[in-house]
Amino acid sequence: MRHLSIDIETFSSVDIKKSGLYKYVQSLDFQILLFAYSTDYEPVKIIDLAQGETLPMEIVEALQNPDIIKHAYNASFEWYALNKLYYSPLEQWRCTMLHGLYCGYTAGLAATAVALGLHEDKRKLGVGSALIKTFCVPVKPTGKNGQRIRNLPHHEIEKWNLFTEYCKQDVAVEMEIERRLSAFPVPEAEQKLWELDQRINAYGVKVDKNLIEGALYCSEKINAELMQEAIKLSGLQNPKSVKQLTKWLEKETGEEIADLQKGTVKELIETTNSEAAKRMLEIRQEFSKTSVKKYTAMAEVVNYDGRVRGLLQFYGANRTGRWAGRLVQVQNLPKNYLETLSHARDCVKEKKVDALKLVYGNVPDTLSQLIRTAFVPSENNVFLVADFSAIEARVIAYLAGEQWRQQVFASHGKIYESSASQMFGVPIERIAKGNPEYELRQKGKVAELALGYQGSTGALIAMGALKMGLKEEELKDLVKRWRASNKRIVDLWYSIENAALEVMRTGQAVGIKGLIIAREIDFNNNQDFLTIKLPSERKLFYAKPFLQTNEMGREAIYYRGMNQETKKWENIPTYGGKLTENIVQAIARDCLAESLKRLEAAGYQTCFHVHDEVILDVPKDKADLKAVTDILGQPIAWASGLILKAEGYETGFYKKE
């Protein structure tokens, strides 16, 4: 099989960071400026399209030749952009960014190159972002630049020459990354799934432009009113200023205010005796609603045909392989509780601010709840929304072989009640509404949500145990009871940790619970991984693993990864519970992936998916919800014994039932 490695530089007046790849490429002024390539790993060549050169016919033919595999870093961009002008089938493309993410590395060409230890001259030149700003985006017209709105090569010829070298450099770096990871290929199943992801992202989802426009109008009007009220109430020049408001609140309440974070504000509202301070804090809460940011993001990203595309990033969470949200961030949309969503939507679309106030009271909160409903089906279609029931709880029960939990999932599925029953020795029939024992369900629920991955009292507090009315002194007992009733899950944590430690000490692979934990080293390319082979045959990768004494004085596994808080590539410790979490979430992800493939094979069009939920765009006359939930609930060949169940609903706009 022959290979063609590619990198292109482009121009568009659309901001790709705000509006995404698809709107960027669809822009009428989109242009490919440079096309750098290497055929079969030969020295890199470049075609200067901006200065009148054209692609050689052999390259045009290579783009559509099934016997030539096309490689690019973030191949989604090159594939979609090139297909505006040339024909190049998706299945012929391979994404080197995906390869890096699959092997446990970070996203970004330069960041990946650094993490892989490439030499300085093989890293992305630091001047790159400045060159992109010079030639790839519009410039502000000034007297000095002759009022031009973009820079062409002849305007900055020295920089342009540097830019061509920069483009060639990217191809060289991409090829080197691919070479260094060549001993650890992306499985064919993941390649096919990446292709499916591109099809889903390119299809996109329609949005209700009238709702978005109405929401932005209502928000602006309400914010202006709130600002006037806040100024009148406090006398502050800028009531949104943390510094000004903190000082005013301290004077008003006579108390020291530590910060104005969400939780603190909520607590102060409940405890303050000052009505003025309470109202100011309520106004701050309303100001801080993220709804408008989401609506603004939608307005920025909506394409010319009324659809938004590119909402999902394949392998965005590379520790597990889960998807990540992009642009509108569908993974963290506010929930909706309103019973009259349709009426609220109509009021917003008609810009009836007074009606919204009268019926719903808090307008920012109403707008926040309606953000989901801005996603609508295509004309003459409906959404079928379906999701797995308690997928992680089912996967961990299957993996650990926790029989009582398996029986729950094979029958009524009430895991919170069943957990409370096991923990407190109360018949499950008693844990029902109207009985005094029903309060135990809350304890079962918080324990289930917090303790499955070796969490303790801190995890319970983080999951909101104290806000649920539990006392701090009873949390230790809750942890003890949950672990005592889930002994096989507890064994699973320690078995996985001990197996990983043994692999690190001996270099010998260990099989456990349908998993294979191994140390894989490619000495030629200085690659070293701790890997966990999942039941699906996919692997989880932990780069550059080593053993070291942790802060608790015990020998622990460390690896190189992206710190989610500092966003830096550094040493990260792990342990049995965390490895279990990675494995369980990865298996849950693979279950979703299997369902996405089955849904496509059955003729269903996925618009997007959120965690363990799929949103399908289906013609009204073919909307069969049971058929969809049956597909999600089908057994999976590689997970014999895993009991899956899905529930769903049909709707004319996206919502959370």
Side-chain angles (χ1 to χ4, degrees):
M1 189 69 75
R2 296 180 60 206
H3 297 268
L4 180 65
S5 298
I6 300 169
D7 184 72
I8 61 174
E9 300 298 344
T10 58
F11 174 88
S12 173
S13 57
V14 171
D15 186 333
I16 195 168
K17 288 183 180 176
K18 286 183 180 178
S19 301
L21 159 65
Y22 300 89
K23 189 172 180 179
Y24 176 89
V25 172
Q26 287 174 10
S27 172
L28 293 175
D29 59 10
F30 171 79
Q31 182 185 358
I32 300 174
L33 306 174
L34 295 169
F35 183 103
Y37 68 96
S38 167
T39 305
D40 296 325
Y41 309 108
E42 291 177 355
V44 181
K45 297 176 182 177
I46 191 156
I47 309 298
D48 192 337
L49 298 168
Q51 297 206 87
E53 294 181 9
T54 56
L55 286 192
M57 190 49 64
E58 63 265 25
I59 297 300
V60 175
E61 290 172 355
L63 285 173
Q64 54 188 294
N65 187 338
D67 294 325
I68 299 177
I69 296 298
K70 273 64 77 174
H71 297 265
Y73 194 89
N74 189 17
S76 308
F77 181 83
E78 269 75 10
W79 166 72
Y80 191 74
L82 285 167
N83 269 277
K84 188 172 184 179
L85 302 170
Y86 309 96
Y87 174 64
S88 190
L90 175 62
E91 61 272 13
Q92 297 175 17
W93 284 80
R94 300 294 180 270
C95 181
T96 309
M97 182 171 81
L98 167 60
H99 199 165
L101 290 170
Y102 179 72
C103 290
Y105 284 100
T106 184
L109 186 65
T112 304
V114 171
L116 279 162
L118 269 62
H119 297 302
E120 190 69 37
D121 61 345
K122 287 186 179 174
R123 295 182 193 173
K124 199 163 185 173
L125 299 172
V127 75
S129 57
L131 292 169
I132 288 169
K133 194 174 179 182
T134 300
F135 296 110
C136 299
V137 300
V139 295
K140 187 178 178 181
T142 64
K144 191 177 179 182
N145 70 13
Q147 301 298 321
R148 64 175 179 262
I149 57 172
R150 64 175 287 195
N151 291 321
L152 297 171
H154 67 270
H155 292 132
E156 301 266 10
I157 193 64
E158 286 186 9
K159 286 185 179 179
W160 182 258
N161 292 336
L162 187 59
F163 198 31
T164 60
E165 289 304 311
Y166 164 85
C167 186
K168 289 169 67 178
Q169 180 91 344
D170 277 1
V171 177
V173 172
E174 181 274 323
M175 288 193 297
E176 181 64 11
I177 291 171
E178 189 65 37
R179 188 185 71 78
R180 295 225 178 174
L181 299 176
S182 57
F184 311 95
V186 174
E188 186 61 25
E190 288 302 303
Q191 167 64 23
K192 294 296 181 191
L193 193 60
W194 175 81
E195 293 166 19
L196 171 56
D197 178 71
Q198 304 314 303
R199 292 193 290 274
I200 291 171
N201 269 321
Y203 180 78
V205 59
K206 188 179 175 185
V207 292
D208 190 329
K209 285 185 171 182
N210 292 332
L211 181 72
I212 294 168
E213 186 186 324
L216 292 170
Y217 170 85
C218 293
S219 177
E220 192 175 329
K221 197 166 188 300
I222 286 294
N223 274 347
E225 290 176 10
L226 288 171
M227 182 62 83
Q228 283 184 334
E229 184 187 351
I231 290 170
K232 189 176 178 182
L233 191 62
S234 65
L236 295 174
Q237 275 188 314
N238 180 12
K240 284 187 174 181
S241 163
V242 173
K243 191 176 179 181
Q244 287 183 33
L245 184 55
T246 301
K247 194 174 179 181
W248 182 86
L249 285 168
E250 288 181 340
K251 189 176 179 182
E252 182 68 25
T253 62
E255 296 175 24
E256 191 176 327
I257 309 294
D259 57 63
L260 289 177
Q261 292 178 5
K262 189 177 177 182
T264 311
V265 169
K266 190 178 178 183
E267 197 175 310
L268 285 167
I269 288 172
E270 293 169 1
T271 58
T272 186
N273 294 319
S274 165
E275 288 301 316
K278 185 177 180 180
R279 181 56 191 150
M280 282 296 289
L281 289 162
E282 287 172 347
I283 290 171
R284 178 165 181 82
Q285 273 185 328
E286 294 188 51
F287 274 146
S288 67
K289 283 285 176 188
T290 58
S291 55
V292 181
K293 291 178 185 174
K294 297 280 189 186
Y295 287 116
T296 304
M298 280 189 176
E300 289 274 8
V301 78
V302 64
N303 291 186
Y304 307 104
D305 58 356
R307 304 181 78 81
V308 299
R309 295 177 171 85
L311 293 175
L312 302 168
Q313 173 63 58
F314 189 69
Y315 239 90
N318 75 326
R319 191 60 48 230
T320 60
R322 282 184 157 185
W323 283 261
R326 291 292 181 264
L327 302 172
V328 183
Q329 293 295 345
V330 291
Q331 308 278 27
N332 63 354
L333 296 174
K335 290 184 179 177
N336 52 263
Y337 307 98
L338 294 174
E339 291 182 11
T340 53
L341 281 172
S342 293
H343 180 256
R345 292 178 87 252
D346 290 341
C347 288
V348 171
K349 286 198 274 189
E350 293 165 23
K351 302 177 182 176
K352 293 181 177 177
V353 178
D354 291 336
L356 285 166
K357 279 193 218 170
L358 184 66
V359 178
Y360 303 103
N362 188 326
V363 176
D365 183 61
T366 304
L367 295 177
S368 186
Q369 290 193 51
L370 291 179
I371 187 68
R372 288 174 184 267
T373 74
F375 293 114
V376 292
S378 302
E379 197 171 347
N380 299 319
N381 282 15
V382 293
F383 278 154
L384 293 183
V385 182
D387 72 331
F388 290 114
S389 304
I391 182 71
E392 287 188 36
R394 289 169 184 266
V395 170
I396 200 168
Y398 148 76
L399 205 58
E402 197 70 77
Q403 288 306 311
W404 71 264
R405 298 173 77 91
Q406 290 281 67
Q407 286 163 12
V408 168
F409 294 128
S411 54
H412 52 72
K414 295 179 181 178
I415 190 61
Y416 299 152
E417 290 88 343
S418 300
S419 189
S421 173
Q422 291 283 331
M423 288 163 68
F424 297 98
V426 175
I428 191 169
E429 297 78 21
R430 298 296 308 159
I431 306 173
K433 283 184 180 177
N435 293 338
E437 293 90 347
Y438 186 65
E439 66 175 21
L440 294 176
R441 183 185 184 277
Q442 193 80 320
K443 294 183 178 182
K445 180 178 180 179
V446 73
E448 282 297 311
L449 295 174
L451 303 180
Y453 303 127
Q454 212 171 337
S456 188
T457 54
L460 286 168
I461 292 168
M463 199 55 72
L466 301 181
K467 291 174 185 174
M468 291 177 184
L470 295 174
K471 295 182 177 66
E472 197 158 352
E473 54 267 26
E474 61 182 321
L475 297 185
K476 276 189 179 178
D477 181 61
L478 206 59
V479 173
K480 190 176 174 184
R481 286 175 181 272
W482 189 90
R483 291 186 177 185
S485 58
N486 290 279
K487 287 177 181 172
R488 292 195 174 188
I489 291 177
V490 174
D491 285 346
L492 180 67
W493 304 334
Y494 296 115
S495 298
I496 287 173
E497 181 169 343
N498 289 334
L501 286 168
E502 185 182 336
V503 169
M504 290 299 296
R505 290 178 191 130
T506 67
Q508 298 298 310
V510 175
I512 175 174
K513 304 286 186 180
L515 311 164
I516 298 175
I517 304 177
R519 183 87 176 268
E520 298 189 46
I521 302 174
D522 175 9
F523 291 104
N524 292 331
N525 290 303
N526 192 31
Q527 294 304 302
D528 181 5
F529 300 104
L530 177 70
T531 63
I532 301 175
K533 191 175 186 181
L534 303 169
S536 66
E537 302 288 306
R538 182 167 70 97
K539 292 179 183 177
L540 302 183
F541 283 76
Y542 299 83
K544 302 286 190 288
F546 61 95
L547 295 178
Q548 183 176 295
T549 304
N550 64 16
E551 56 191 21
M552 298 170 72
R554 292 206 296 262
E555 188 176 42
I557 297 166
Y558 286 74
Y559 63 93
R560 297 289 287 172
M562 184 62 72
N563 184 312
Q564 293 306 305
E565 291 179 10
T566 65
K567 301 299 178 188
K568 290 182 178 177
W569 184 255
E570 54 190 51
N571 293 337
I572 296 176
T574 193
Y575 57 95
K578 178 56 73 174
L579 291 171
T580 303
E581 181 180 32
N582 291 167
I583 292 162
V584 168
Q585 291 184 350
I587 293 173
R589 176 267 193 198
D590 288 346
C591 293
L592 174 66
E594 195 69 33
S595 295
L596 289 171
K597 288 186 281 188
R598 288 174 177 177
L599 286 165
E600 186 184 52
Y604 290 101
Q605 177 61 60
T606 302
C607 280
F608 62 102
H609 45 90
V610 181
H611 303 305
D612 308 310
E613 175 184 75
V614 295
I615 298 90
L616 309 177
D617 194 16
V618 183
K620 288 176 183 175
D621 59 347
K622 294 181 180 176
D624 185 346
L625 182 61
K626 186 178 184 303
V628 169
T629 54
D630 283 352
I631 287 172
L632 267 71
Q634 282 175 9
I636 295 175
W638 46 257
S640 177
L642 173 59
I643 303 163
L644 295 173
K645 186 185 176 187
E647 295 174 344
Y649 56 93
E650 180 182 319
T651 179
F653 48 78
Y654 184 46
K655 58 185 178 178
K656 194 71 178 174
E657 284 221 327

